[in-house]
Amino acid sequence: MLGGRLSTFPRWLCSAGTCLDRARTLASVSGSGASQQKQENAISQPLERVSEISLDPSILPLRVPLDAAKGSFTEEQYAASLVHGRSIHHPFFHPRTHNVPVASIHFRSHSPRQLEFFTHFATHAACALGIPVSRPVMLPTKRTLWTVLRSPFAHKKSQENFERRVHKRGIKAWDADPEVVARWVAYLRQHAMGGVGMRITRWERMPLGIGSSHAAGLAAGFGKSPSASERSQRIKTLGEEIVKAETEATEGSVRVSS
C-alpha cells in the first residue's frame, strides 16, 4: 500500500527521502556506543512503555512499528517514531473531549486533485495545533449546464453543451480555544492554494452568567428607574419648557418685524 502511494510521487522526492534515511542511518552507526545501546533498549521496549522512557534526542527517531489501522498509540509515540512517508499519511486525529463544535470549513474547487491536497494539508495543520477535527467529508457536487447555439443562422439546430462542476469538502472542529482556531484559520489563509475556495464558520460561546452581569451593568449605568408619577411629572415639566421657549421665540420675531 505504501509502495503504491510512493510510486506516484516524483523521483527526485523519493531520492531525497532515500538520501535522508541513509544519512540518518550513517549518523546512528557513527554514534557512540552508549547512544547505540540506548537506541537498542528503546527499540526492545514495547510500544506501551515508549512514553515512559525518557526521550533522549540521541535515540530519536524510535524505529518501533506502528499499526495505523489499530491506532493504539499516542501522539507522543507517533511523533517520536520513524514513519516513512509521514506527510502523505493521515495525521494523528485527536479525540474529542466535550463534543462542542467550534468551527466548520467548506472547501470548493473545480479540480478534485487540488481539493484533496489542500484538505489533507488543512487536517495536518489542525492536528499539529492539537485541534480535534473530523476527516474530510465529501459534500454534494454542484453541476451547472449551459446550452448555446453554434450558429444563429443556417446551423441554428446545431447546439453545444458546456458543463461546470464544483466539488466540495467539509471539515469540522471541536473542543478548541478560539485563539487556537483563529491561528489555524490564519495559517490556512496565509498558505491558501490557487483554485481552492474556503468558507469558514466559527462559533464563540460566552461564559456562564453573562446575562446577569450585563443586567447589573445596565442597572448601575441608568440608576434607579423612576416611577410612573415621576415620569409623568418630568414629561409635563419638559412640555412646559418647550412651550415657554417657543412663545418667547415667537414674541421676539414679532417685535423685530414691527
Side-chain angles (χ1 to χ4, degrees), residues 66-197:
L66 299 178
D67 191 355
K70 296 181 180 179
S72 58
F73 49 85
T74 63
E75 182 185 10
E76 182 181 3
Q77 297 169 355
Y78 183 74
S81 303
L82 176 63
V83 181
H84 295 284
R86 186 189 298 267
S87 61
I88 65 174
H89 293 311
H90 290 292
F92 181 86
F93 289 95
H94 298 271
R96 310 176 199 173
T97 55
H98 300 86
N99 288 326
V100 178
V102 294
S104 175
I105 304 181
H106 286 189
F107 301 89
R108 299 182 180 184
S109 177
H110 299 296
S111 174
R113 188 172 183 179
Q114 292 183 355
L115 190 61
E116 295 291 343
F117 181 82
F118 194 69
T119 52
H120 184 78
F121 170 77
T123 53
H124 268 271
C127 294
L129 291 173
I131 303 176
V133 295
S134 65
R135 297 178 182 270
V137 180
M138 298 184 64
L139 301 178
T141 302
K142 183 179 180 181
R143 184 183 179 191
T144 307
L145 297 174
W146 291 276
T147 302
V148 297
L149 301 177
R150 292 191 177 183
S151 176
F153 183 56
H155 305 283
K156 185 176 182 180
K157 293 184 179 181
S158 177
Q159 300 179 353
E160 191 172 3
N161 297 324
F162 294 91
E163 178 186 21
R164 183 181 68 184
R165 293 188 179 184
V166 180
H167 303 274
K168 305 176 184 179
R169 300 290 187 273
I171 296 178
K172 198 170 184 179
W174 293 271
D175 307 328
D177 190 83
E179 184 178 355
V180 180
V181 176
R183 183 170 298 183
W184 177 44
V185 171
Y187 184 76
L188 294 181
R189 288 177 176 172
Q190 181 180 1
H191 300 278
M193 174 179 287
V196 179

Side-chain angles (χ1 to χ4, degrees), residues 2-54:
L2 180 58
R5 298 184 66 178
L6 285 177
S7 62
T8 60
F9 275 66
R11 182 174 297 176
W12 63 268
L13 182 59
C14 296
S15 61
T18 305
C19 293
L20 183 59
D21 293 339
R22 290 178 180 176
R24 288 177 175 175
T25 304
L26 292 175
S28 61
V29 170
S30 60
S32 61
S35 300
Q36 293 181 4
Q37 186 66 29
K38 291 180 181 179
Q39 177 72 23
E40 293 176 359
N41 294 337
I43 295 174
S44 61
Q45 297 293 336
L47 185 62
E48 291 76 9
R49 294 197 56 193
V50 172
S51 59
E52 302 176 4
I53 303 174
S54 178

